[in-house]
Amino acid sequence: MDEPREGKLRWMPAVFLAAGLAVSFAIPQYNLLNQYVQLIIMYAGINIILALSLNLINGYMGEFSVGHAGFMSVGAYIASFLTVRIFPPGAETLLFPVAVTAGGIGAALLGLVVAIPSFRTRGDYLAIVTLAFVMIVKSALENIDAVGGARGFLGMNKMTTLPWVFLWTVLTVWIIRNFIYSNYGRGVLSIREDEIASSLMSVNTRQVKLLTFTVSAFFAGVAGALFAHVLQFINPRMFDIIKSTDMLVMVYLGGVGSIAGSILGASVFTILLEVLRPLEAWRMVLMPLVLVLLMLFRPRGIMGLREMALFVPSSDKSNSAGKVKQA
Amino acid sequence: MTQLRAERVTHYFGGLCAVSDFNLELERGALMGIIGPNGAGKTTVFNIITGVYRATEGSIYFDGDEIIGKTPDRIVAMGISRTFQNIRLFNELSVLDNIRIAHYAGSRYNPFEALLRIGRYKAEERRIREHSYELLALFNMDVLASTTARNLPYGQQRRLEIVRALATGPSLLLLDEPAAGMNPREVDQLTDFIRWIRRTFNLTIILIEHQMRLAMAVCERLMVLDFGAVIAEGPPKVIQTHPLVLEAYLGEKVPV
Amino acid sequence: MIYLLQQALNALQLGSIYALIALGYTMVYGILSMINFAHGDFFMVGAFLCFIVATFMQLPFLPALLISMAGVALLGVIVERVAYKPLRQAPRVSAIITALGVGIFLENFTLALSPYPKHVPTIIENTTISLGGLTMSSLQTIIIVLSIVMMTVLHFIVQHTKVGMAMRAISWDKNVAPLMGVPVNHIISITFALGSGLGGVAGMLYSMAYPVIDPYMGIIVGWKAFISAVVGGIGNIRGAMLGGYILGSVEVLVAAFLPSTYRDFVAFSLLLVLLIFRPYGIFGKPRTQKV
Ligand SMILES: Nc1ncnc2c1ncn2[C@@H]1O[C@H](COP(=O)(O)OP(=O)(O)OP(=O)(O)O)[C@@H](O)[C@H]1O
Ligand SMILES: [Mg+2]
């Protein structure tokens, strides 16, 4: 029940949004933080979007996807192609949100395709399907000359700015939260718990899977679009299985089935990568090691199925889907 | 009036014939029992009716509509709900969520309304929530609403499974060995409980029982399965003394 | 005709390597129902061991082969003990992620030690035999013959020895096997040793045929081998061998008609189609879940 909130709290989201936007505008405007730190913040935001997107499938639904690098690349390529080749010069900054959305939609359509095998296969077999998907997208892109083939694609302006990253991140959190705390979201959780019981309790599991993969892929595509317009250069190799593994680390570090966990995991991951930069190549040795250690000692991550009250709609407090304590 | 009709239903697992030539006419409001020794094919009959398995041969009509070939969620939406022999709750979720999930087919808002929290979303969520609480209250479980299902004691888990099945709004309820793991006193209570839910929710019920005790006490009609075939059918009194039934149960004591 | 035979020979060579690797996937899956995502990287380690042995110790073919095989077998056993064993009762997802993690660890670890691609010196004299226009190198002969010998030995071990019987018992029913006195941990280690060892051999043979090696070489080849295992029906040993040769032939065919950049595309699309329509492969059997 959406009881009217206490007078003060009611305005909290609006205030938070306004303040966040103001700050994200102010930072680049007045150079409050140096360029490098600003860049890290933007990566953190993009990574939060990615982690949330993957968490939907791997955490909430309990399926297993390593395919999100594929969705991300599709979003990145579509958006970049639009801003560089299609949009009239001069208008591309104005149309940037359109490009990002288009990237998301393109990825979402592919998400639909990947959802279909998930009707019949689960666990490691689905993992392979998504992996094959990543490989197929990558080698398809390598063979498309219009986007530069294996050499990659460039010419994007640096249109991803702090305010954009902030807005998209907040939008992602909000929509994914809404999704989880709805009928469909509860369907997602029930599939994780027991797919057969789920369908016998009237959940249309195919519908739920289609929807979940679509939403998840959409945001991975959005993240890809934002990423391409920070880096201003993309090539198919950037979006291989290693990229998917980064996302896995973020999700399983922060915690499966938890929005707060994904935010935490993505932030810690991004910062850790920067802090460890002096280690050079050994940094990349550490990441998979962290992943293995996590699986051995804390397989559900820091937050592990628990949620912060902030991300639970007031109508669902005290009974949140994610409020289950760790077993 | 016939609510459920099965015609020549046969099911094979590879070479194993788990159900053979199963026929059934079930009146609306009836309370029927299926009994039989281990591995007789009782659960398989439920699995076929609810769409978990697709019968190798035969047809099943529910309120006149063929249901073989339909997916489980559509069959539930038509009004057939069930419990499981081995409890299958959504373990990591709250009691309330277990019940709310069973409202999936009955909810009337679309994904866009859910993602953006607009339109019918709020009213429907409120309705689902209130209905869930009403149901739980009816079974004295509303105080447990936020408890994680796996933390419930065994008896409450069995009860929650029944409440969850009822939350889908069935007209036919299939109970698979509801007395499993209960002591004799609890079994006696269960007899009244089953009669009570039938009355309260206006249900037709099929009950699988492995032991005859509960089935004899509560059912108006019994069907006996052995090696997938129906070997006897009739009122409990007749079944009790039926020679084929005694033979099927030979070696096991017949607790009457 | 000669052209066709030549292509068949190439397919046989490539298929042999896929088959050797596919066996590792299939054996581990058969016994643990787990896909060892790191297996492709075991193959890579085999190639690097061969490089080390050939470059720094200048050992001839046979000792190099033994060292690659034993080294990778040991690696497999250690990885299983340290990373997989504690997760046997954990949710399957944990095991998948761990295996992925181990694989990437091996790749990046090798990369940190050896940032540039390496060239493997020739360790056997490469003479070519010409038979009426059909050329066959000694290397090609060794790869094909050795692979077939190895597979035959493996087949014998699995079908006709006590260890093999124990393996089959565990893959039949993990829970009952220990009750029958099968030393499960021991047998799992042996399985990993055998499977990884074959992967190591494959790595060595591959690096002799394509002597420029890098830490990421195991990813694609490993996945292709995995596809082979799935084609044959994962968990099935004969299936893995057959699958390897099928994939080898498909790739040679594709290369004959399409630009080589389409090879991966075709291979992975094949996997996808297969998983959707016949996920249990040629020799596999579908599983049903009991309700
Ligand atoms: N998914 C399955 N795959 C193969 N065989 C199955 C499957 N499900 C059931 N069986 C077999 O079908 C037969 C009937 O099983 P079923 O579960 O219907 O028996 P039951 O009468 O419910 O027995 P119980 O009293 O033990 O619950 C048994 O021999 C069982 O082993
Ligand atoms: Mg049963």
Side-chain angles (χ1 to χ4, degrees):
Chain A
M1 280 155 279
D2 241 19
E3 282 126 6
R5 290 176 226 184
E6 309 275 312
K8 237 179 1 186
L9 284 176
R10 195 192 177 113
W11 298 105
M12 281 291 280
V15 169
F16 168 75
L17 202 64
L21 263 183
V23 170
S24 65
F25 269 113
I27 290 174
Q29 193 70 36
Y30 302 107
N31 264 323
L32 299 180
L33 296 169
N34 70 38
Q35 290 290 323
Y36 173 67
V37 177
Q38 287 185 33
L39 194 67
I40 305 305
I41 297 176
M42 286 199 271
Y43 280 136
I46 293 169
N47 281 340
I48 289 172
I49 299 176
L50 284 173
L52 283 168
S53 149
L54 185 66
N55 209 341
L56 212 48
I57 307 286
N58 287 28
Y60 289 101
M61 192 150 74
E63 293 282 6
F64 190 77
S65 162
V66 284
H68 277 55
F71 298 134
M72 191 184 172
S73 70
V74 170
Y77 269 91
I78 290 179
S80 305
F81 193 75
L82 284 175
T83 57
V84 175
R85 293 277 165 79
I86 306 288
F87 290 162
E92 75 263 20
T93 312
L94 207 65
L95 289 175
F96 183 52
V98 177
V100 175
T101 311
I105 291 173
L109 290 177
L110 274 178
L112 277 178
V113 177
V114 175
I116 292 169
S118 83
F119 293 167
R120 291 180 53 179
T121 47
R122 273 191 79 88
D124 23 19
Y125 266 84
L126 188 66
I128 307 157
V129 171
T130 60
L131 185 121
F133 165 76
V134 172
M135 300 284 195
I136 290 170
V137 169
K138 182 173 161 245
S139 43
L141 286 172
E142 280 174 348
N143 284 301
I144 300 176
D145 283 330
V147 292
R151 279 162 290 121
F153 190 71
L154 42 78
M156 293 79 91
N157 290 329
K158 194 160 183 172
M159 282 184 282
T160 302
T161 56
L162 264 185
W164 274 131
V165 172
F166 176 76
L167 268 182
W168 279 108
T169 311
V170 171
L171 186 76
T172 310
V173 170
W174 186 67
I175 289 193
I176 286 188
R177 185 205 69 162
N178 293 348
F179 181 60
I180 296 299
Y181 294 96
S182 76
N183 217 2
Y184 302 100
R186 290 190 295 266
V188 172
L189 298 172
S190 71
I191 290 177
R192 175 185 76 202
E193 295 298 314
D194 186 335
E195 186 166 344
I196 289 178
S198 170
S199 65
L200 286 165
M201 287 303 128
S202 86
V203 176
N204 183 341
T205 52
R206 294 189 171 196
Q207 184 186 36
V208 170
K209 285 177 178 176
L210 283 174
L211 200 59
T212 312
F213 269 96
T214 312
V215 172
S216 176
F218 176 84
F219 285 111
V222 164
L226 294 173
F227 177 75
H229 290 82
V230 179
L231 212 62
Q232 298 172 272
F233 165 70
I234 48 178
N235 71 33
R237 272 189 320 279
M238 285 176 183
F239 306 100
D240 63 5
I241 185 79
I242 307 269
K243 190 90 206 170
S244 290
T245 324
D246 287 351
M247 295 181 219
L248 287 174
V249 175
M250 294 189 256
V251 169
Y252 290 91
L253 179 69
V256 291
S258 163
I259 294 174
S262 285
I263 297 176
L264 186 74
S267 309
V268 170
F269 177 84
T270 315
I271 295 167
L272 212 60
L273 269 189
E274 292 310 319
V275 173
L276 297 179
R277 203 169 271 286
L279 293 181
E280 292 172 15
W282 292 99
R283 182 175 70 144
M284 302 321 282
V285 179
L286 221 57
M287 277 307 146
L289 211 56
V290 169
L291 191 62
V292 172
L293 291 176
L294 269 173
M295 285 303 112
L296 290 175
F297 299 108
R298 203 174 167 85
R300 281 172 171 178
I302 300 170
M303 293 296 288
L305 294 187
R306 282 170 302 180
E307 192 57 281
M308 261 169 73
L310 178 64
F311 302 112
V312 181
S314 56
S315 56
D316 228 302
K317 288 260 154 69
S318 89
N319 256 310
S320 69
K323 257 218 161 159
V324 185
K325 296 257 156 49
Q326 174 151 20
Chain B
M1 197 186 113
T2 306
Q3 186 177 30
L4 186 75
R5 194 166 82 240
E7 285 172 2
R8 309 188 57 85
V9 173
T10 301
H11 191 73
Y12 286 92
F13 288 113
L16 176 88
C17 185
V19 175
S20 75
D21 197 17
F22 179 84
N23 293 286
L24 174 72
E25 287 265 333
L26 194 66
E27 295 295 303
R28 186 175 293 283
L31 205 172
M32 195 193 81
I34 299 180
I35 61 173
N38 273 17
K42 306 180 295 290
T43 301
T44 306
V45 169
F46 274 15
N47 283 335
I48 291 168
I49 297 176
T50 52
V52 178
Y53 301 141
R54 194 192 171 120
T56 321
E57 280 166 39
S59 15
I60 300 179
Y61 300 92
F62 179 67
D63 288 335
D65 294 324
E66 166 77 273
I67 55 174
I68 284 184
K70 287 198 160 70
T71 52
D73 56 289
R74 287 189 57 203
I75 295 174
V76 193
M78 291 169 76
I80 304 181
S81 196
R82 71 177 283 184
T83 63
F84 301 91
Q85 183 170 358
N86 310 307
I87 302 177
R88 296 186 84 143
L89 289 169
F90 305 121
N91 273 325
E92 299 288 339
L93 307 184
S94 69
V95 167
L96 179 66
D97 279 339
N98 268 274
I99 304 299
R100 288 200 288 188
I101 285 163
H103 287 79
Y104 188 94
S107 89
R108 290 178 290 266
Y109 60 82
N110 63 36
F112 278 105
E113 290 169 307
L115 291 177
L116 303 175
R117 314 194 109 218
I118 53 172
R120 294 165 291 186
Y121 170 83
K122 281 189 179 157
E124 270 297 281
E125 276 294 299
R126 184 177 308 131
R127 181 186 68 77
I128 291 171
R129 193 183 170 85
E130 280 169 2
H131 184 243
S132 303
Y133 264 110
E134 274 167 28
L135 259 180
L136 285 171
L138 201 57
F139 291 83
N140 293 322
M141 290 187 80
D142 48 339
V143 288
L144 297 171
S146 54
T147 311
T148 306
R150 71 146 38 151
N151 293 334
L152 292 176
Y154 181 81
Q156 296 278 27
Q157 292 198 5
R158 283 240 166 251
R159 180 175 278 242
L160 180 58
E161 262 217 335
I162 295 180
V163 184
R164 185 179 67 171
L166 291 171
T168 63
S171 55
L172 170 63
L173 180 64
L174 312 179
L175 299 172
D176 197 346
E177 303 207 15
M182 290 187 175
N183 61 39
R185 204 172 58 87
E186 288 169 326
V187 173
D188 285 338
Q189 288 170 355
L190 189 63
T191 313
D192 293 333
F193 181 72
I194 290 170
R195 292 208 180 101
W196 176 77
I197 55 172
R198 171 161 75 143
R199 235 180 309 125
T200 314
F201 293 90
N202 203 5
L203 295 170
T204 313
I205 293 180
I206 306 180
L207 178 89
I208 287 181
E209 250 322 305
H210 179 64
Q211 322 157 4
M212 288 214 216
R213 183 187 159 87
L214 177 72
M216 292 284 173
V218 75
C219 298
E220 294 148 358
R221 194 175 133 209
L222 287 178
M223 190 175 239
V224 188
L225 279 184
D226 193 20
F227 290 111
V230 177
I231 55 169
E233 203 185 338
K237 284 233 171 58
V238 179
I239 296 299
Q240 220 167 355
T241 53
H242 198 291
L244 280 176
V245 178
L246 293 177
E247 197 185 306
Y249 273 84
L250 210 72
E252 289 184 44
K253 262 201 266 145
V254 189
V256 179
Chain C
M1 188 60 206
I2 293 293
Y3 175 76
L4 268 183
L5 278 176
Q6 192 72 54
Q7 292 298 337
L9 215 57
N10 291 341
L12 211 58
Q13 176 186 341
L14 192 60
S16 293
I17 288 174
Y18 286 151
L20 276 183
I21 311 172
L23 282 170
Y25 282 109
T26 254
M27 288 173 69
V28 169
Y29 191 88
I31 205 158
L32 288 180
S33 310
M34 166 201 170
I35 298 170
N36 179 14
F37 280 78
H39 189 64
D41 302 298
F42 290 178
F43 157 86
M44 175 273 294
V45 172
F48 269 83
L49 279 180
C50 171
F51 163 76
I52 292 169
V53 169
T55 314
F56 301 116
M57 305 185 215
Q58 279 140 11
L59 291 179
F61 176 74
L62 212 56
L65 179 79
L66 287 176
I67 290 177
S68 292
M69 187 157 83
V72 178
L74 186 68
L75 176 69
V77 172
I78 293 173
V79 165
E80 195 277 325
R81 279 289 152 122
V82 174
Y84 301 163
K85 189 171 168 232
L87 291 170
R88 268 186 221 157
Q89 307 303 327
R92 290 168 72 103
V93 170
S94 306
I96 306 175
I97 298 171
T98 305
L100 269 174
V102 168
I104 294 170
F105 173 79
L106 290 175
E107 287 155 20
N108 290 347
F109 189 81
T110 314
L111 187 75
L113 291 175
S114 141
Y116 306 105
K118 292 281 184 283
H119 193 277
V120 182
T122 42
I123 44 179
I124 47 164
E125 195 109 11
N126 203 357
T127 49
T128 46
I129 320 151
S130 209
L131 264 175
L134 185 70
T135 53
M136 193 168 170
S137 68
S138 52
L139 190 63
Q140 211 162 25
T141 320
I142 287 183
I143 290 179
I144 295 170
V145 173
L146 193 64
S147 303
I148 292 174
V149 169
M150 292 264 172
M151 288 188 267
T152 315
V153 171
L154 181 79
H155 196 262
F156 177 81
I157 293 178
V158 172
Q159 292 302 329
H160 301 286
T161 64
K162 229 173 134 179
V163 169
M165 198 155 76
M167 283 177 183
R168 284 180 287 137
I170 297 174
S171 90
W172 189 254
D173 193 329
K174 260 196 288 301
N175 301 318
V176 173
L179 303 177
M180 302 299 178
V182 176
V184 174
N185 289 332
H186 195 67
I187 297 296
I188 289 177
S189 289
I190 295 180
T191 309
F192 264 84
L194 285 173
S196 312
L198 291 181
V201 172
M204 163 162 188
L205 296 178
Y206 190 87
S207 73
M208 286 161 62
Y210 311 92
V212 179
I213 61 172
D214 73 89
Y216 294 116
M217 66 187 274
I219 302 179
I220 294 286
V221 177
W223 280 106
K224 300 256 182 81
F226 178 77
I227 298 174
S228 313
V230 174
V231 168
I234 190 149
N236 186 300
I237 288 185
R238 274 178 309 155
M241 300 181 206
L242 183 66
Y245 289 110
I246 291 178
L247 189 70
S249 313
V250 168
E251 292 210 338
V252 168
L253 262 176
V254 171
F257 293 109
L258 288 171
S260 68
T261 45
Y262 282 89
R263 217 178 44 198
D264 293 356
F265 187 80
V266 171
F268 283 100
S269 303
L270 177 76
L271 173 68
L272 210 57
V273 170
L274 200 82
L275 283 174
I276 293 171
F277 295 105
R278 202 178 158 87
Y280 36 87
I282 297 173
F283 289 124
K285 288 200 180 65
R287 298 184 178 195
T288 54
Q289 197 189 353
K290 238 180 156 179
V291 178

